[in-house]
Amino acid sequence: MMRSVPIGEAARQSGVKVPTIRYYEHIGLLPAPKRSEGNRRHYETSDLRRLAFIRHSRELGFDIEAIRTLLTLQDNPSQPCATADTIAQARLADVVQRIRSLTALKAELELMVEGCRHGKVGECRVIEVLADHSQCEHARH
Amino acid sequence: MMRSVPIGEAARQSGVKVPTIRYYEHIGLLPAPKRSEGNRRHYETSDLRRLAFIRHSRELGFDIEAIRTLLTLQDNPSQPCATADTIAQARLADVVQRIRSLTALKAELELMVEGCRHGKVGECRVIEVLADHSQCEHARH
DNA sequence: GCTTGCTCCTCTAGTCGCTAGAGAATGTAG
DNA sequence: CTACATTCTCTAGCGACTAGAGGAGCAAGC
């Protein structure tokens, strides 16, 4: 079993890019790992787990501050998980809201694109709608 | 009829904030308007129309470069509108993709939140799922 | 005239979450 | 021993604003 891996291998295993790993260390999200004689970072399994946690959280759209809190919670398993739940619920509400507004946008854009007769700009529905918001009545944004 | 309005009024009418209007001027998206004796900007109706166009485009999620192109097209009504159509279609494709990925996220987050038994962090489904990506099998992200 | 309070001016720096690049050192394969 | 890859630190840039400092202009009330 390999005890620790250099940053490039950590990047490969976690799917987080090398400069991003260093960035996470810099902002204190990931603890500074031990260094080799030649001053290179070497990551233990626990670091890789933490990195995977961060990556998954980022994929789910949590911001750095939320992840910082979630990591602190993970480090203290005996605490109540209300905070974690609240953070996840807030993120869910945000996602739901975003889907709603993007769905309205989609309808708007479809109308624009369908309405385009592929002629001159002067008669182009795309430009026309952009210039006149009141032409989007059915979807408020 | 009022010939021209100061920046605050332009902001009110367009829904674009004052510093943002100045920013748009700075990056060359909005032409520099005439100034009063006391060096204040005064906007004509044509500027307000352009500002509305920009605002609506931003609401629909077009980036500044796309808007720059769209505005140039609007200024040249005799050109074919293929470019405008392409830009709108690209934006639509992007929106559709985003909705797809957010919908997957939503499912993931719902599972997490529903699974939380509101006990201790050590048994919290939210934290658990974040730590172990393989627990999200049904929705790839 | 004078003061109060609002609007406006320019300029710089900060936000978020990275990403890119310079320039140097270290490690590894042939 | 020589390539070449990987790593190091550090600074600057991205997009689209936003915030704040420090000062000037302007309209209304006294």
Side-chain angles (χ1 to χ4, degrees), chain B residues 68-83:
Chain B
R68 213 184 280 279
T69 306
L70 291 167
L71 281 168
T72 308
L73 287 170
Q74 198 193 24
D75 294 341
N76 300 286
S78 62
Q79 284 204 295
C81 75
T83 309

mmCIF file of all heavy atoms in Angstrom, chain B residues 68-83:
data_model
loop_
_atom_site.group_PDB
_atom_site.id
_atom_site.type_symbol
_atom_site.label_atom_id
_atom_site.label_comp_id
_atom_site.label_asym_id
_atom_site.label_seq_id
_atom_site.Cartn_x
_atom_site.Cartn_y
_atom_site.Cartn_z
ATOM 1 N N ARG B 68 -22.339 42.532 -27.305
ATOM 2 C CA ARG B 68 -21.596 43.451 -28.175
ATOM 3 C C ARG B 68 -21.912 43.130 -29.641
ATOM 4 O O ARG B 68 -22.204 44.029 -30.435
ATOM 5 C CB ARG B 68 -20.104 43.275 -27.912
ATOM 6 C CG ARG B 68 -19.268 44.519 -28.061
ATOM 7 C CD ARG B 68 -17.795 44.200 -27.881
ATOM 8 N NE ARG B 68 -17.362 44.069 -26.497
ATOM 9 C CZ ARG B 68 -17.076 45.110 -25.695
ATOM 10 N NH1 ARG B 68 -17.195 46.337 -26.149
ATOM 11 N NH2 ARG B 68 -16.680 44.922 -24.460
ATOM 12 N N THR B 69 -21.860 41.857 -29.972
ATOM 13 C CA THR B 69 -22.170 41.427 -31.343
ATOM 14 C C THR B 69 -23.621 41.738 -31.705
ATOM 15 O O THR B 69 -23.902 42.270 -32.785
ATOM 16 C CB THR B 69 -21.912 39.918 -31.488
ATOM 17 O OG1 THR B 69 -20.585 39.627 -31.072
ATOM 18 C CG2 THR B 69 -22.095 39.473 -32.928
ATOM 19 N N LEU B 70 -24.525 41.422 -30.797
ATOM 20 C CA LEU B 70 -25.950 41.651 -31.064
ATOM 21 C C LEU B 70 -26.243 43.136 -31.276
ATOM 22 O O LEU B 70 -27.036 43.508 -32.145
ATOM 23 C CB LEU B 70 -26.793 41.103 -29.908
ATOM 24 C CG LEU B 70 -26.817 39.564 -29.787
ATOM 25 C CD1 LEU B 70 -27.397 39.130 -28.447
ATOM 26 C CD2 LEU B 70 -27.604 38.941 -30.935
ATOM 27 N N LEU B 71 -25.572 43.979 -30.502
ATOM 28 C CA LEU B 71 -25.779 45.427 -30.655
ATOM 29 C C LEU B 71 -25.258 45.911 -32.011
ATOM 30 O O LEU B 71 -25.889 46.738 -32.669
ATOM 31 C CB LEU B 71 -25.081 46.183 -29.522
ATOM 32 C CG LEU B 71 -25.804 46.201 -28.173
ATOM 33 C CD1 LEU B 71 -24.879 46.721 -27.086
ATOM 34 C CD2 LEU B 71 -27.059 47.055 -28.239
ATOM 35 N N THR B 72 -24.123 45.379 -32.414
ATOM 36 C CA THR B 72 -23.572 45.747 -33.723
ATOM 37 C C THR B 72 -24.539 45.336 -34.826
ATOM 38 O O THR B 72 -24.777 46.090 -35.778
ATOM 39 C CB THR B 72 -22.220 45.046 -33.946
ATOM 40 O OG1 THR B 72 -21.378 45.298 -32.826
ATOM 41 C CG2 THR B 72 -21.535 45.558 -35.203
ATOM 42 N N LEU B 73 -25.119 44.154 -34.672
ATOM 43 C CA LEU B 73 -26.098 43.693 -35.647
ATOM 44 C C LEU B 73 -27.303 44.630 -35.693
ATOM 45 O O LEU B 73 -27.775 45.010 -36.761
ATOM 46 C CB LEU B 73 -26.562 42.277 -35.298
ATOM 47 C CG LEU B 73 -25.543 41.179 -35.564
ATOM 48 C CD1 LEU B 73 -26.008 39.866 -34.965
ATOM 49 C CD2 LEU B 73 -25.316 41.022 -37.062
ATOM 50 N N GLN B 74 -27.758 45.001 -34.508
ATOM 51 C CA GLN B 74 -28.915 45.894 -34.452
ATOM 52 C C GLN B 74 -28.639 47.211 -35.180
ATOM 53 O O GLN B 74 -29.531 47.793 -35.784
ATOM 54 C CB GLN B 74 -29.277 46.179 -32.988
ATOM 55 C CG GLN B 74 -30.707 46.715 -32.840
ATOM 56 C CD GLN B 74 -30.954 47.277 -31.453
ATOM 57 O OE1 GLN B 74 -30.039 47.688 -30.751
ATOM 58 N NE2 GLN B 74 -32.220 47.309 -31.066
ATOM 59 N N ASP B 75 -27.388 47.622 -35.123
ATOM 60 C CA ASP B 75 -27.012 48.867 -35.798
ATOM 61 C C ASP B 75 -26.920 48.716 -37.311
ATOM 62 O O ASP B 75 -26.815 49.715 -38.032
ATOM 63 C CB ASP B 75 -25.663 49.370 -35.254
ATOM 64 C CG ASP B 75 -25.760 49.779 -33.788
ATOM 65 O OD1 ASP B 75 -26.890 50.028 -33.310
ATOM 66 O OD2 ASP B 75 -24.718 49.850 -33.117
ATOM 67 N N ASN B 76 -26.930 47.488 -37.789
ATOM 68 C CA ASN B 76 -26.818 47.239 -39.230
ATOM 69 C C ASN B 76 -27.964 46.338 -39.703
ATOM 70 O O ASN B 76 -27.764 45.157 -39.981
ATOM 71 C CB ASN B 76 -25.479 46.574 -39.549
ATOM 72 C CG ASN B 76 -24.302 47.440 -39.147
ATOM 73 O OD1 ASN B 76 -23.993 48.429 -39.801
ATOM 74 N ND2 ASN B 76 -23.685 47.092 -38.041
ATOM 75 N N PRO B 77 -29.173 46.912 -39.813
ATOM 76 C CA PRO B 77 -30.378 46.105 -40.007
ATOM 77 C C PRO B 77 -30.435 45.388 -41.347
ATOM 78 O O PRO B 77 -31.263 44.497 -41.524
ATOM 79 C CB PRO B 77 -31.517 47.120 -39.921
ATOM 80 C CG PRO B 77 -30.896 48.409 -39.494
ATOM 81 C CD PRO B 77 -29.453 48.342 -39.822
ATOM 82 N N SER B 78 -29.567 45.747 -42.276
ATOM 83 C CA SER B 78 -29.667 45.134 -43.593
ATOM 84 C C SER B 78 -28.840 43.852 -43.711
ATOM 85 O O SER B 78 -28.920 43.137 -44.696
ATOM 86 C CB SER B 78 -29.226 46.129 -44.665
ATOM 87 O OG SER B 78 -27.879 46.474 -44.455
ATOM 88 N N GLN B 79 -28.064 43.573 -42.682
ATOM 89 C CA GLN B 79 -27.266 42.349 -42.709
ATOM 90 C C GLN B 79 -28.140 41.117 -42.484
ATOM 91 O O GLN B 79 -29.201 41.215 -41.878
ATOM 92 C CB GLN B 79 -26.208 42.412 -41.609
ATOM 93 C CG GLN B 79 -25.045 43.321 -41.936
ATOM 94 C CD GLN B 79 -23.822 42.914 -41.165
ATOM 95 O OE1 GLN B 79 -23.795 42.986 -39.938
ATOM 96 N NE2 GLN B 79 -22.793 42.458 -41.867
ATOM 97 N N PRO B 80 -27.686 39.956 -42.947
ATOM 98 C CA PRO B 80 -28.438 38.740 -42.631
ATOM 99 C C PRO B 80 -28.361 38.447 -41.137
ATOM 100 O O PRO B 80 -27.379 38.797 -40.486
ATOM 101 C CB PRO B 80 -27.731 37.648 -43.438
ATOM 102 C CG PRO B 80 -26.380 38.198 -43.728
ATOM 103 C CD PRO B 80 -26.534 39.684 -43.816
ATOM 104 N N CYS B 81 -29.408 37.818 -40.616
ATOM 105 C CA CYS B 81 -29.475 37.659 -39.174
ATOM 106 C C CYS B 81 -28.973 36.299 -38.697
ATOM 107 O O CYS B 81 -29.257 35.892 -37.569
ATOM 108 C CB CYS B 81 -30.882 37.923 -38.654
ATOM 109 S SG CYS B 81 -32.025 36.601 -38.991
ATOM 110 N N ALA B 82 -28.235 35.618 -39.548
ATOM 111 C CA ALA B 82 -27.757 34.281 -39.181
ATOM 112 C C ALA B 82 -26.936 34.315 -37.891
ATOM 113 O O ALA B 82 -27.063 33.435 -37.031
ATOM 114 C CB ALA B 82 -26.919 33.699 -40.316
ATOM 115 N N THR B 83 -26.102 35.345 -37.741
ATOM 116 C CA THR B 83 -25.255 35.434 -36.550
ATOM 117 C C THR B 83 -26.099 35.549 -35.284
ATOM 118 O O THR B 83 -25.840 34.873 -34.277
ATOM 119 C CB THR B 83 -24.316 36.652 -36.652
ATOM 120 O OG1 THR B 83 -23.650 36.601 -37.911
ATOM 121 C CG2 THR B 83 -23.288 36.642 -35.547
#
